[in-house]
Amino acid sequence: MRIGVVSDVHANIVALETVLAAMGEVDVLWVLGDSVGYGPRPNECVELLRAGPHLAVAGNHEWAAIGKMSTREFNPWAARAAEWTRTELTPEIVAYLDALPTRALDGGATLVHGSPRDPIWEYVLDTDTAGENFEHFETRFCFFGHSHIPSFFRLGPDGVWGARADADEMVELGDERHRWMLNPGSVGQPRDDDPRASYMLLDLERWTATWRRVAYDIAATQDQMRKARLPERLIERLEHGW
Ligand code: ZN
C-alpha cells in the first residue's frame, strides 16, 4: 500500500500538478487541509485532489473561505485572499468543503490539519506541544499540516523527540513502541526557506515515510496571482519559501 500525503496546497495548481506527477501512482491520497486560500486556483485544486481515491480533512482556510470561521485572526493578506477565494468558489465546491470533517481515521492513522487537540487552529512546532498532543489521538500515527514545515515527532520509551525533515529523508515506522506525528510540509506555500513543493510518501509494506521536494514553475503561479490581484506579499513569498 502506497499512500501520498499532501497538505497546504493553498490553491497553487502549478505546484499541485507538479507534485502529483512526481509522486506517481498511489493507492490513496491523504489531504490534510488548506487546499484553498492564498493562491489563484482554489476550485481547480479541490477538483484535482478529489479526482481519485482520497481522504481529506478541513483546515482553517477552508473554513474561512466558506464563512465557517471569521478572518479576524488572519493577517491582513491572508484575510484578503480568503475574501477573494470566497468569491471564486463554485457552489458545488463550497458544499464539498463544508462537508469535510476536521478529523479523519484510516486504519492506524488520524488525519488533522492543525493538531489532534485543536484540528483547525493549533500549530505543532515543538516537542512540548507535540508531547501534549499525543494524548489527543488514539492511533499510532497522526498526520498533520498547518505549519508548512516538513517535520516529525516521535513518542517512545525515551520520551518525545522531534526534528525537521530534509528532502528525501526517510523514517522507519515499524517499531510498535513508537507513536508518531508527521507533517508532510506544504505543497503550495513552503515556509522552511526551501521554495520547492513538499510532500510525503508512505509505504505500508516497508513501514517507511519519505519526504520529497520538487521544483515547480513558481513564476507561472505568481503570474496567475497577479492576474487575480492577490496581495503582492503573498506572491513574493513563494520564491523565497517563507
Ligand atoms: Zn496553510
Side-chain angles (χ1 to χ4, degrees), residues 7-10 32-38 59-62 113 123 145-148 186 189 191:
S7 190
D8 298 278
V9 171
H10 283 297
L32 307 179
D34 278 11
S35 302
V36 304
Y38 294 132
N60 51 310
H61 281 263
E62 275 84 15
H113 178 61
Y123 289 92
H146 196 39
S147 67
H148 299 208
S186 168
Q189 194 200 75
R191 292 183 192 158

Side-chain angles (χ1 to χ4, degrees), residues 114-117 122-137 142 144 151-155 159-163 179-182:
S115 77
R117 177 166 59 188
E122 185 177 37
Y123 289 92
V124 181
L125 290 161
D126 55 67
T127 49
D128 284 350
T129 312
E132 292 163 19
N133 267 286
F134 274 106
E135 295 167 23
H136 292 264
F137 66 101
C142 173
F144 69 102
S151 51
F152 58 89
F153 299 93
R154 191 188 76 190
L155 173 67
V160 182
W161 176 70
R179 296 177 71 215
W180 292 84
M181 294 182 64
L182 301 129

Side-chain angles (χ1 to χ4, degrees), residues 125-206:
L125 290 161
D126 55 67
T127 49
D128 284 350
T129 312
E132 292 163 19
N133 267 286
F134 274 106
E135 295 167 23
H136 292 264
F137 66 101
E138 274 158 22
T139 51
R140 202 154 75 77
F141 303 102
C142 173
F143 293 83
F144 69 102
H146 196 39
S147 67
H148 299 208
I149 307 286
S151 51
F152 58 89
F153 299 93
R154 191 188 76 190
L155 173 67
D158 50 349
V160 182
W161 176 70
R164 287 193 177 201
D166 293 324
D168 299 322
E169 180 150 356
M170 188 186 84
V171 290
E172 309 256 357
L173 305 171
D175 188 336
E176 300 211 347
R177 292 170 308 165
H178 295 145
R179 296 177 71 215
W180 292 84
M181 294 182 64
L182 301 129
N183 187 327
S186 168
V187 170
Q189 194 200 75
R191 292 183 192 158
D192 60 343
D193 301 316
D194 180 346
R196 294 177 299 168
S198 184
Y199 67 99
M200 182 193 283
L201 280 169
L202 258 183
D203 184 331
L204 293 189
E205 265 99 60
R206 295 194 182 87

Side-chain angles (χ1 to χ4, degrees), residues 71-95:
T71 54
R72 260 201 316 264
E73 317 253 327
F74 278 43
N75 69 52
W77 306 281
R80 252 174 67 200
E83 308 295 331
W84 179 86
T85 303
R86 197 175 300 183
T87 64
E88 279 290 301
L89 292 176
T90 65
E92 208 238 322
I93 297 288
V94 169

